[in-house]
Amino acid sequence: NCTGLVHFIDEDCNIFANNSLITATYAMFHNCNKMLNTNGLEGMLDPLENLTDASYMFYGCAAMTGTLPNGFFSENENLTTANGVFSGCSGLTELPARLFRKNKTDTNNVPYLTSMKSVFYNCTNLGGVVTSDFFAGAPNIRTIGIANTDTIPNSSSRYTLYGFFGNTKVEGYFEDFLSKLPMLTDISYLFYHASENRALKYCYYDNNGVDDEYGNSLSIALFENNTLLQNTSYAFQNCAGLTGCIPYKTVSGNVVSIFESCKSNIVNVANMFAGCSMLTGNDIDNSAMVGIADSLFKNCTNLQNVSGFFRGNTNHTFSIPNNMFDGCTALANASYLFYNCTLLQGSIPVNMFNS
């Protein structure tokens, strides 16, 4: 809370050069909201080979500007927790391509890191695209969801930080940016916005070595490698830039939805697309993504909460698909499921919950 600290982090900053035994930088510069960054973060943490907790290190450092360097955590092999590190750094403008590797060809790992909640929440000027390699090198991360700052020292406030990229200007992502996280269970509030925001509107994929753009802002492959995923609640709330529809495809006559790979573990999808007014149930010209699927959650046997899943879709007509929750034997909360969907058409399928 040194709010008067102005000029500290200079270029080639090497403040940790002779302090390799440091294990925590928790809330180190918390709310130093006048502290400048003149490219001084490059290699800053490299000497800290024993660092385990970097949470909230630069929380609220609103005067820090520019682009974060690639591989900021690349040398911190023992890191276990890094929640909210840059949350509230509203002067940051561009995402790095990679958090854990400085170069695309690097193979180093940060194997013990499990928690990276709300790292860029409220970085309100942060833009760019989440690349395929963004999380490469940290294969054991389990949560990038919502964070509660219960233990900020010398603070009377308890902050709730809504999501990894919550309230940012991130414009798009590659469909496989989560694929490097096979242990992932929680992406709650991932791209959450407190009010309608059209920043998130692009989804990219590798088309034989060339970066190409989907016509739809969602990809069938988004959770393809996240078989343990449990919580996607509020992940895209108020992302009004999302266009197209909730993807699925048919494989050998069977419906495969965006949740297919994690259907044995998914528990909470509440309000995942709440306020996404540009999502539609109409077909678009893309064979992998056509409409809101029949059997969208079929046999998701642990799914408990779908509250508000379609809430706020007021721009497009759509109808309730067949067998949408067939086999969802644990389903307990479907409140507000179609709340204010004023253009919902057709009848309620008799097999909506049970074929």
Side-chain angles (χ1 to χ4, degrees):
N1 281 325
C2 298
T3 55
L5 183 62
V6 178
H7 197 83
F8 184 71
I9 303 180
D10 287 312
E11 190 169 0
D12 299 321
C13 178
N14 204 18
I15 62 171
F16 296 118
N18 298 310
N19 296 277
S20 61
L21 297 180
I22 289 176
T23 59
T25 56
Y26 186 98
M28 185 172 180
F29 299 109
H30 178 266
N31 270 347
C32 295
N33 55 20
K34 293 183 177 65
M35 186 175 69
L36 302 177
N37 165 33
T38 53
N39 301 318
L41 297 184
E42 184 79 41
M44 183 182 185
L45 297 185
D46 287 4
L48 302 184
E49 59 188 39
N50 293 299
L51 183 65
T52 60
D53 191 352
S55 296
Y56 314 109
M57 184 174 180
F58 297 105
Y59 176 93
C61 292
M64 288 173 55
T65 59
T67 304
L68 292 173
N70 285 327
F72 185 68
F73 300 108
S74 62
E75 304 302 316
N76 309 123
E77 184 178 345
N78 291 298
L79 189 66
T80 62
T81 310
N83 299 328
V85 181
F86 298 104
S87 182
C89 293
S90 54
L92 296 179
T93 55
E94 190 75 19
L95 279 173
R98 295 167 296 278
L99 284 177
F100 306 102
R101 291 176 177 171
K102 294 181 180 181
N103 304 294
K104 191 175 181 64
T105 55
D106 290 349
T107 59
N108 63 289
N109 283 327
V110 183
Y112 307 112
L113 181 61
T114 59
S115 183
M116 282 202 90
K117 300 175 183 178
S118 303
V119 170
F120 296 109
Y121 174 67
N122 250 5
C123 292
T124 51
N125 288 297
L126 185 68
V129 173
V130 190
T131 68
S132 295
D133 295 325
F134 187 78
F135 289 110
N140 292 308
I141 291 177
R142 288 169 172 75
T143 175
I144 55 175
I146 189 173
N148 291 307
T149 60
D150 295 307
T151 55
I152 289 288
N154 301 318
S155 175
S156 59
S157 302
R158 177 181 183 271
Y159 308 106
T160 300
L161 310 180
Y162 293 102
F164 199 93
F165 298 112
N167 287 342
T168 67
K169 291 182 178 178
V170 173
E171 296 176 313
Y173 58 92
F174 277 78
E175 64 171 356
D176 58 346
F177 84 98
L178 293 175
S179 68
K180 306 298 191 299
L181 304 177
M183 306 303 292
L184 193 62
T185 63
D186 185 357
I187 63 166
S188 57
Y189 294 84
L190 179 61
F191 290 106
Y192 164 88
H193 290 279
S195 57
E196 185 174 289
N197 188 294
R198 296 183 183 272
L200 190 70
K201 53 190 174 183
Y202 303 114
C203 181
Y204 300 96
Y205 67 102
D206 184 338
N207 185 7
N208 294 320
V210 177
D211 295 342
D212 210 341
E213 180 188 336
Y214 277 122
N216 192 343
S217 299
L218 292 167
S219 165
I220 189 71
L222 185 58
F223 305 136
E224 195 170 67
N225 200 39
N226 308 119
T227 58
L228 302 179
L229 191 61
Q230 298 176 12
N231 189 350
T232 63
S233 61
Y234 299 87
F236 297 100
Q237 175 157 324
N238 289 324
C239 290
L242 284 181
T243 57
C245 42
I246 301 168
Y248 82 106
K249 60 184 177 181
T250 302
V251 178
S252 301
N254 297 314
V255 171
V256 176
S257 83
I258 191 173
F259 301 101
E260 181 68 19
S261 64
C262 55
K263 70 180 183 181
S264 297
N265 290 297
I266 196 77
V267 172
N268 189 354
V269 298
N271 292 287
M272 182 176 176
F273 298 113
C276 294
S277 56
M278 295 303 292
L279 280 181
T280 173
N282 299 333
D283 291 356
I284 62 173
D285 186 20
N286 188 313
S287 60
M289 290 174 270
V290 283
I292 297 175
D294 289 355
S295 310
L296 182 62
F297 295 99
K298 187 172 183 178
N299 292 329
C300 292
T301 54
N302 289 305
L303 183 64
Q304 299 172 24
N305 189 350
V306 295
S307 174
F309 186 79
F310 296 102
R311 178 169 66 88
N313 188 342
T314 58
N315 281 22
H316 299 278
T317 59
F318 71 102
S319 57
I320 301 174
N322 291 312
N323 304 113
M324 185 159 57
F325 302 107
D326 190 15
C328 297
T329 54
L331 191 60
N333 188 354
S335 58
Y336 299 100
L337 181 60
F338 298 105
Y339 181 77
N340 270 357
C341 291
T342 54
L343 297 179
L344 179 64
Q345 295 182 337
S347 58
I348 302 173
V350 296
N351 56 12
M352 179 176 173
F353 291 98
N354 194 336
S355 60

